[in-house]
Each structure stands twice: as C-alpha cells, then as structure tokens.
Amino acid sequence: MTGWAHHLIIAPILLPLVAGALLLLYDERRQFLKGVVNLISTLAMLCVAVTLLRFADGSTTGVYQLGNWPAPFGIVLVLDRLTALMLVLTSVLAIASLMFSLARWHKVGAYFHTLFQLLLMGVNGAVLTGDLFNLFVFFEVMLAASYGLVLHGSGQQRVRAGLHYIAVNLSASFLFLIGVALIYGVTGTLNMADLAIRIPAVTGNDRLLLEAGAAVLGIAFLIKAGMWPLSFSLLNAYTVAAAPVAAIFAILSKVGIYVLLRLSPLFFGAEAGTSEGFGSKLLLIGGMATLTYGMIGVLASQAMARLAAYSVLVSSGTLLTAIGFSDTGVTGGALFYLVSSTLTVSAFFLLIELIERGQDPAAGILAVTAEAFGDEDEDEAEAEAGVALPGTLAILGVCFGGCGILLAGLPPLSGFIAKLAMMVALFNPAETATGVSTTAWVFTLLLILSGLSALLAMSRVGIRVFWAPIEAVVPRVLIVEVVPIVLLLVLTLALTVQGGPVMRYMEDTAHALRAPTQYIQDVLSAPRVPAPGEGGAQ
C-alpha cells in the first residue's frame, strides 16, 4: 500500500475519535443532528473498511508507523486479511445498530452517540494495533464506552447487571496489565512481531515466567471472549442491555476471539520451541465446556433475550474450540462461522425488541405455564385457525424464522456452510495424517447438538409468540427499525450465495495466521517514510 491508500489504515481510528469529540460540542437536546453526524461517520468508516479489505486481499501486510518510527521501537498499526475482515464486520454491525437506535433508543440516555463512536474507535484500534500495550489501551477505550452503553436506558436491572459487568472487566484489565508486565520483563519488547522472534530464544526459568505471563494474559482475553465459567457477567449484560446496544455488543466477545486467533499461532506456533501449542488444550476443553453450557442455556431459556445471550456463548465456545485445534482448515471454517454467527445474533437482538412490543409479559408467563402443564383450551385454538397474520407480524415472523435457521445451522444458509466447513476439515484425511481424534468426534457431536438445541428453543418460542399466542397485539414498528434487521439477514444470504469466494478468503486468512512468517517480516522490515527534504533516503 502506497500513497493515499497507506494513510487509510489509521482512518478507522481517527474517524470515530473525531466524530465522538465533535458530538460532545452539541447539546443533548439536538439529538437529530447528533444522530446524523454519527451516521455519516459510521457510513464513512464502512467505506474505508471495504477499501482496506480490497487492499488486504493480497500478499503484503500493510504497516502504518505512528511517529514514523519503525518497529519494534515505534507504535505500528498492521493491516492484513483478518484485520480488514473485523473492520468490515464492525462497521456493518455499527450501521445496523445505529439505524435501529435512531427510532427512539438514542434519546433515552445521555451521550449515546459519543459513547457509540468511542466504542467503535476502541474495537478498530484493538484489531489494528501491532503491540500489546496499545492493545490494552484500545481495549480500555472500548470497555469504558461499553460501561456507559450497557447502562443506557437506566432501570434497576441494567444498573445491577452493568455494575457486575464493570467489576468483572476491571478485574480482567488488571490481569491484562500483569500479563503484559511479565512478558515485557522477560522479552524486553511488546511488539507482536518482535515477540514472535524472541519467544523461541527464551529458556529456563525465564520461559516459565513467560508462560505464566501468557496464561494470565489469556485469562483476560477469555473473560472478554465469554468462556465458561468466566461468562456470567457477559450473559447478564447482553440480556438487559438496550436492543441496539446488545446488537453492537455482539462484536465485543469476538474481539477477544480475534486476539486469541492472532496471538496463539504468532507466539506459540511451530517456531515457539518447547512452548509450541501452549494453551491449545485449555482452549479445546474450555471451548467445548462453553459450547455445552451455552447449549443447555439455550434449551432452558424462556425469555428471548436470554436465549440470544446464550447463543453468544454457543458462538464463543465453537470458535474457542476451533482455535484450540490449531488446524488451518478448521480455522478457515471458524472464520466463516464468526461472521455468520455475529450477524445473526446481532439481528436477533434487534428483532427481539420488536417482537416483545406486542407481548404482555404476564401473558408470556401464562403461555409457558400452559405449555408445561398441557392446560390449553382446544376449542379456542380451533376457533383461531385460519386467521391471517397482519403484515407486521408476517415480516417479523419471516425474520424470526431466518434467525432460527441460521442459529440452528440448517441448510442452505451460511450457518450450515460454516459448520460443514469445520467438520470437513476435522475429518479430511489429507489434513489429519494421524487419523481422526476423539476430540474431533466430540466437537462434531457438540456442533450437531448445539444446532438441535437452537432449533428446539427457537421452535418453542416461535410457536408461543407467532402461532398460538395467548393475547396477540400487533406492535408498532417503524421502517427504520425493520431495515437493519433485514440488512443483516440479507448479508448472511449473500454469504451463502458467494460462499465459494468468501470461503477462499477465509482459507487464505487462516493460512496467513497459521504461517505468520510473512506478517513478521513485513512488520519488522517496513521502512520509514522519507521526509520531504530526504528524497529517497531512508
């Protein structure tokens, strides 16, 4: 990347930073103007992210040197396929969540638009940065904004869950600092590419200290990724958060997944010496435990928001397990699954808000009780047969059905393609020279059972809400609220239609992650940009 395109690497950080600062200048009573500024900035970020995705789909890693100091001494931003993918996914979720919030949610609390932009800045910075300390800085920017957003809309439940969420994440940040300090004390650097070179040379007691630091750092990332049993604050926060906040929060757990995808093969890959594969067994066991816990939670959930929150855990468990296999094919399928599941869960959180407007909470409880004890009036059920659904409920029902198919991983949509890709990689003899392991069979079984649990849970909720409600009320829904849900579901359909090119991109990304030599060389060999008076001198 050269010329103007090179400077686009920093744009996903600068755009939300400038927009967030600008929004502070306007009074809270000018919500319409603030919404317009927020939307323009987010749309511009999407355009930048798509442009960077096109540049990243090549063989060279883009390196942006802040202060024009080369790595490992200066701060660098690094763009590759995985980074570009995360930037585009974040931008898409941001636009959908923001459009939905403009109907009414952005007015129910102070500084929503500023916090929204700062959250995007933190997420974008976390995926772009090339060193651990600035990863911590951007994580804190992201989390500080999320603390305000999880409390957006007030209410006793949000305050209780929000304070729990803040306490747990502050503890994770403390662990983050401890892990970074231990790693720096042993290696003398925090640049990711430089660490990949220095870690194989660490021996003796220093290696024990290094692995202890990596373990502490890993716990911090696993808390953010939502691994069981570190996920309870995450569950409560997703359940009670406002709909557009929960929708954009779908990307937050994936930032933790992104860091594990980035650092595991970089620090403890084939060149790491005696530390090769460090932590992979923990990821396998913890990922499958998280997947199992999320699956049980999905089956047990009666409230739709709780069902969606547990679906986040199912997604995290699947991805953590896939990372633990350290296999290129499984990683490629997992990346496809990451995009599909994130889009689906985000759309589901938005959809829940619209569906529940037409429900009486007491009626929902009565429906569950009647279902459990078989206490239904058959005559009334027959009298209601054949009644046409109003147009609004029909649209919501179709969207709900789409979410159900995607969460269950049924063909032909992208959820099925992603799970099939992972299973094919697990059972491909060319990729598995030692035969199919027991772990692969267990993971495959859990993938199938998690899909079955999602299908049962969504069918039960769909029957109760759309097919046989005790008291159906058509909710008042604005077009601006339906459009983002449809947009997200259409994108999952596009993933299905363009499954071949998308999967090739994911496989190329997985190959680059599992063989990070090119990444390391590009970061450490990137030259300074010559000053105007220097001509071509370096």
Side-chain angles (χ1 to χ4, degrees), residues 228-243:
W228 183 86
L230 308 173
S231 56
F232 295 107
S233 66
L234 195 70
L235 274 173
N236 293 331
Y238 277 98
T239 301
V240 303

Side-chain angles (χ1 to χ4, degrees), residues 473-486:
V473 178
V474 180
R476 293 185 60 188
V477 175
L478 301 178
I479 294 179
V480 74
E481 293 174 315
V482 175
V483 168
I485 299 172
V486 174

